[in-house]
Structure formats: structure tokens, C-alpha cells
Amino acid sequence: MTDEIYMQRCLELAILGIGNVSPNPMVGCVIVHENKIIGEGYHQKIGEVHAEVNAINAVLTTFGDEAPTLLKNATVYVSLEPCAHFGKTPPCADLLVKHEVKRVVIGNADPFDAVNGKGIEKLINAGIEVVSGVLEDKCSYLNRNFFTRIKQQRPFIILKWAQTADGYFAPLNASQKWITGAIAKQLSYRWRSEEDAILIGKSTAIIDNPQLTSRISGGKNPIRIVIDKNLNIPLSNHIFDDQAKTIIFNEVKTEVMENIHYVQMEDMHFYLAQKIAFQLFLMDIQSVIIEGGIQILNHFISANLWDEARIFTSTIVWNEGYKAPIIKGKVLENLPLGDDQLTILAQNKS
């Protein structure tokens, strides 16, 4: 189980990059010599050095002149196949070859065309022992956003809403009415800092006038995406402030005004979910939370374009209102949050 223990540490390191490395994957790396960790690192920010570089630099810094000998007899654990191409940084596979490491243990292969087995091939051709597939399912789940974008050419799509105990989503009188408590709100803010974008429809923007920011000290604000076919949302709305980049899909114009990006679409009443998903893919948006309203959520549900649903259910009873969406999937978690219940579903894959 030794390989699994060190790979688990790679995953613990990798998750530290959440919200900061997209559209790259989250990657952790641990370097072990004679059953002792001598260096570790993770991919910290898009455009900066990768996990393997940070781990090797840790060894070089800590051990100085001893480092080259230690590395030649070390096992490098990395949660994703080392890259084999020149992107924003040089290939990590070349770095491991340069330091003549003895063994490399990999969580899973990188499906990106420029890598996809080429990193493993470089290591093997250099005479390095390679083991792959260690904690593969856990490594894949960690980077589900990245794998969805590469394999399906669309972002990882998270549906999120709150509903009353009797299944209502919004009041009939188009007023703002809170359903969940403080814990659910704080969790929602954290999610915003972890994903690339958040999407709402026109009615939600007008009725709730949300800021769609993370509210977390030091947390990253997501890109705000709004569906407003005829540009009816008042310019005084919070989405037009300077807190985050805002994309407004509409049928009127394409224009950029500081942080507000208007993107024109044709025939938005046809295949809206599919068009949005493809546009976000082209924009390098790797994950999106769709918060409503009901019509937008149902567009994505009926198109079968979603990966995860996060549903808060309160103890409040309304007796009337607009019914929450109906969705079926595999239950990943059921968590009590104060007086609320959080259910996380994954789409059943055929």
C-alpha cells in the first residue's frame, strides 16, 4: 500500500490549487527517498511552474549538493502524467529525465492531445521505471472538470438550487424570498471561489439582483454569466459592477465595455443549453455553476447537459409557488446543514 499512501498525499497537495489553475488540471507531486519524503509540491497558479518543478526545487533547496544523488535514487509520485510538451512552461517529463530519477508513479494519464501517453513514453525511453493507475479513480475525480472539458469539449456543469420541504423553488409573486440558512449560503460562496463561472437567467438577475461574488476573503470571484436575450436587465444591477468579469449572452450585440462582455447569439430559443456549453468551451471556461432560474435549469436538464446537481432542501413549507426542477441521478452525498439538507447528485453515465 506504500504507493497508495504517497499518491493520497499527492491528492492532498493538488487540491490546494483549486480555483487558481484552470484551465489546467490540479496536480500534486511527492518525491520519496528510502521511504522518506524529501520534497513535495503542487501546481499553484495557471501560467506558473507545475507540481513536479516545485517538488524538485524543494529537494534542491533543502539538500543542496546532496540533491542530485538523492534524486537519482528517488521515486517521484505525481497525480497526473507529467507533461511532454512546451506550453507556458517546459515539459515536466524532460525535467524528470534530466535528474535521472529512479522511478515514477502516476495516478492517471493525461487525455490532453499534447500529452496523452507521451510523458510516460519519454520516461520509459529514458530507462525510468513507470507505474501508472495508482488511485486512478480518485485522481480522475479530482480533475473531473479538466477531463470533461478535454474529452467532451464543454465545461463541467454544476446545477445548483434551493427548494422548500414541499418542493417549491420560487414564490409566485416574483419577489425575493430566502429558503436556506446561513450555512448553505457560506457553502455556496465557497463553491463560487472554486469554479470558473456562475450562470443565471434574466429573471433571476432582475428579481434577486445578486452580486454573484465569492464573499470570501482572498477568494477568487467567478466569471459572471447572464442570459439576457433582449438586454432588459437595468444597468444599475450588481452584475454591471467592477467586481468580476461579466459575460452577457444576448441576441442584440457583441461588444466589450471594460469588464462587461456582450456576446451575441442567434436564435436563443433553439438549443440554448448546447450553444452556451460550446461558447464556454471556446472561452476556456472549464466549470460553471448554474444557479437558475427554473427555465435555465430545465434547459440543461432536458438537454442532458449536466454533471453534478447540488440541491439544498429546507424545512420551510410554502404550500404554493413555482415547483423546483425534477432531476434524477446517482446520490453522491446527503449532508445535514443546520436546518437544511444538501443532496449532491451525479448524472448516471450510460
Side-chain angles (χ1 to χ4, degrees), residues 45-57:
K45 189 175 181 181
I46 181 68
E48 295 184 359
V49 296
H50 291 179
E52 298 93 325
V53 179
N54 284 325
I56 283 179
N57 284 344

Side-chain angles (χ1 to χ4, degrees), residues 97-345:
V97 170
K98 172 188 171 184
H99 287 283
E100 302 178 37
V101 300
K102 184 177 181 180
R103 184 169 176 259
V104 176
V105 179
I106 296 167
N108 51 20
D110 188 336
F112 184 53
D113 282 344
V115 186
N116 201 7
K118 298 181 180 70
I120 293 173
E121 184 180 3
K122 277 190 174 185
L123 298 173
I124 292 173
N125 288 342
I128 296 170
E129 179 189 350
V130 176
V131 176
S132 59
V134 175
L135 298 188
E136 185 171 11
D137 289 345
K138 284 187 175 183
C139 293
S140 296
Y141 185 75
L142 176 75
N143 279 312
R144 57 198 183 280
N145 295 1
F146 173 72
F147 289 135
T148 298
R149 181 178 175 274
I150 296 299
K151 293 179 178 180
Q152 299 186 43
Q153 297 193 324
R154 64 166 178 82
F156 188 87
I157 297 170
I158 301 164
L159 309 181
K160 178 246 171 185
W161 70 84
Q163 60 190 27
T164 63
D166 50 347
Y168 291 106
F169 177 92
L172 293 174
N173 61 1
S175 64
Q176 185 181 37
K177 197 171 180 180
W178 287 106
I179 294 175
T180 55
I183 300 175
K185 290 177 190 175
Q186 290 302 313
L187 185 56
S188 295
Y189 294 152
R190 195 192 82 189
W191 287 341
R192 290 178 183 180
S193 72
E194 293 175 349
E195 309 301 338
D196 286 358
I198 184 167
L199 183 149
I200 60 171
K202 176 192 70 177
S203 296
T204 302
I206 292 174
I207 294 168
D208 294 346
N209 191 17
Q211 297 179 53
L212 303 182
T213 53
S214 74
R215 314 282 220 289
I216 295 174
S217 177
K220 172 188 68 69
N221 287 329
I223 297 171
R224 301 178 293 199
I225 303 169
V226 184
I227 312 302
D228 187 10
K229 180 179 175 181
N230 298 310
L231 299 182
N232 293 323
I233 301 172
L235 294 178
S236 58
N237 192 284
H238 287 311
I239 64 163
F240 293 104
D241 65 27
D242 62 358
Q243 297 302 302
K245 178 180 178 179
T246 301
I247 298 169
I248 301 176
F249 289 125
N250 67 92
E251 286 190 353
V252 179
K253 65 179 180 178
T254 294
E255 186 179 355
V256 177
M257 301 175 65
E258 296 182 345
N259 64 308
I260 311 300
H261 295 236
Y262 295 92
V263 178
Q264 187 176 12
M265 283 185 176
E266 295 182 357
D267 299 324
M268 293 181 70
H269 51 293
F270 292 118
Y271 304 107
L272 179 61
Q274 292 88 335
K275 289 176 179 177
I276 291 170
F278 186 60
Q279 282 292 330
L280 298 184
F281 168 74
L282 295 177
M283 294 173 177
D284 270 350
I285 291 174
Q286 189 161 263
S287 62
V288 59
I289 302 173
I290 300 176
E291 286 204 355
I294 300 170
Q295 288 186 343
I296 296 295
L297 288 164
N298 281 328
H299 272 302
F300 281 85
I301 292 170
S302 61
N304 212 30
L305 266 178
W306 65 279
D307 299 285
E308 199 170 282
R310 302 173 182 177
I311 306 163
F312 294 107
T313 303
S314 75
T315 55
I316 295 171
V317 175
W318 281 359
N319 295 314
E320 65 175 11
Y322 290 104
K323 278 289 188 180
I326 303 297
I327 194 168
K328 294 181 180 180
K330 176 185 177 183
V331 177
L332 298 180
E333 288 188 272
N334 261 319
L335 301 172
L337 297 173
D339 292 332
D340 304 317
Q341 184 80 16
L342 170 62
T343 301
I344 301 180
L345 302 176

